[in-house]
Amino acid sequence: LLAVGLAGTDDGEITGFAVNLFNISDFSDPQLQQSIELNSDDWSWSQALWDHHAFTLHRGVLSLPVYTWDYDESTGEYDGFSGMWVIDATAVDSGISELGRVDHEDLIDASECLYGSGTECDDYYWYAWMKRSVVVEDKLFSISDYGIKITQLDDPTDEIGSVLFWPR
């Protein structure tokens, strides 16, 4: 059973977003087999937590829209990620692993700001709300409210192209 959720400590502290693989051969005693976490000091979220349509699994590759947000107290700066988290979920025995991430921040940088007064959105990476991903043959199409990116399914860091919805 492949499941998505929030990761945390035994004390109830949420530490990030997680993908878990459970062995359910004995329904009365499910066992956690593998887990991979997208850690964040401050905030992690995904539409896949509440909407199963955001969860895409194709040929053993799982893609999920995710967001993280971390605040560095020493610099007063925010660092975050808004994009697709792509995972190889085929290696059940050896472990599920991250294939890469598709970041949509550059689409925001090249776009007119959707939220606010039409100003530049360079500092608002969290506004690239990831919607869905679609797989066509061996290509992953990641869709946000700013555009679409096309990458290789088995190597999401290999960007083939992109389409802006709101160019400046």
Side-chain angles (χ1 to χ4, degrees):
L1 175 66
L2 191 62
V4 299
L6 295 175
T9 65
D10 290 338
D11 296 330
E13 178 186 358
I14 294 173
T15 58
F17 182 76
V19 174
N20 298 311
L21 186 64
F22 291 90
N23 178 343
I24 56 169
S25 58
D26 179 357
F27 289 137
S28 65
D29 187 27
Q31 297 292 315
L32 178 63
Q33 290 293 114
Q34 303 290 331
S35 184
I36 185 170
E37 293 183 19
L38 181 66
N39 292 324
S40 173
D41 293 335
D42 292 319
W43 184 75
S44 296
W45 188 78
S46 174
Q47 280 190 334
L49 291 170
W50 62 273
D51 185 351
H52 67 278
H53 295 106
F55 187 105
T56 302
L57 180 64
H58 181 75
R59 285 191 277 180
V61 176
L62 174 65
S63 58
L64 300 160
V66 294
Y67 317 92
T68 64
W69 185 352
D70 295 301
Y71 178 71
D72 185 339
E73 290 184 23
S74 64
T75 64
E77 298 286 322
Y78 290 96
D79 184 33
F81 174 76
S82 176
M84 283 292 161
W85 190 29
V86 186
I87 296 168
D88 179 357
T90 60
V92 175
D93 294 329
S94 61
I96 52 181
S97 61
E98 180 176 320
L99 288 172
R101 300 176 189 183
V102 182
D103 192 344
H104 277 229
E105 184 176 356
D106 62 327
L107 296 180
I108 297 171
D109 294 342
S111 296
E112 181 177 320
C113 188
L114 295 177
Y115 306 101
S117 60
T119 60
E120 291 185 10
C121 295
D122 295 344
D123 295 332
Y124 301 104
Y125 53 82
W126 57 85
Y127 280 141
W129 290 113
M130 299 305 299
K131 303 299 183 191
R132 302 286 184 268
S133 60
V134 176
V135 176
V136 177
E137 295 181 6
D138 59 348
K139 308 295 186 273
L140 176 67
F141 292 72
S142 58
I143 305 162
S144 73
D145 55 357
Y146 278 93
I148 300 172
K149 280 197 172 182
I150 303 102
T151 60
Q152 293 292 339
L153 179 63
D154 60 350
D155 182 8
T157 62
D158 183 7
E159 185 176 326
I160 298 166
S162 63
V163 176
L164 283 174
F165 293 156
W166 312 102
R168 281 190 204 157

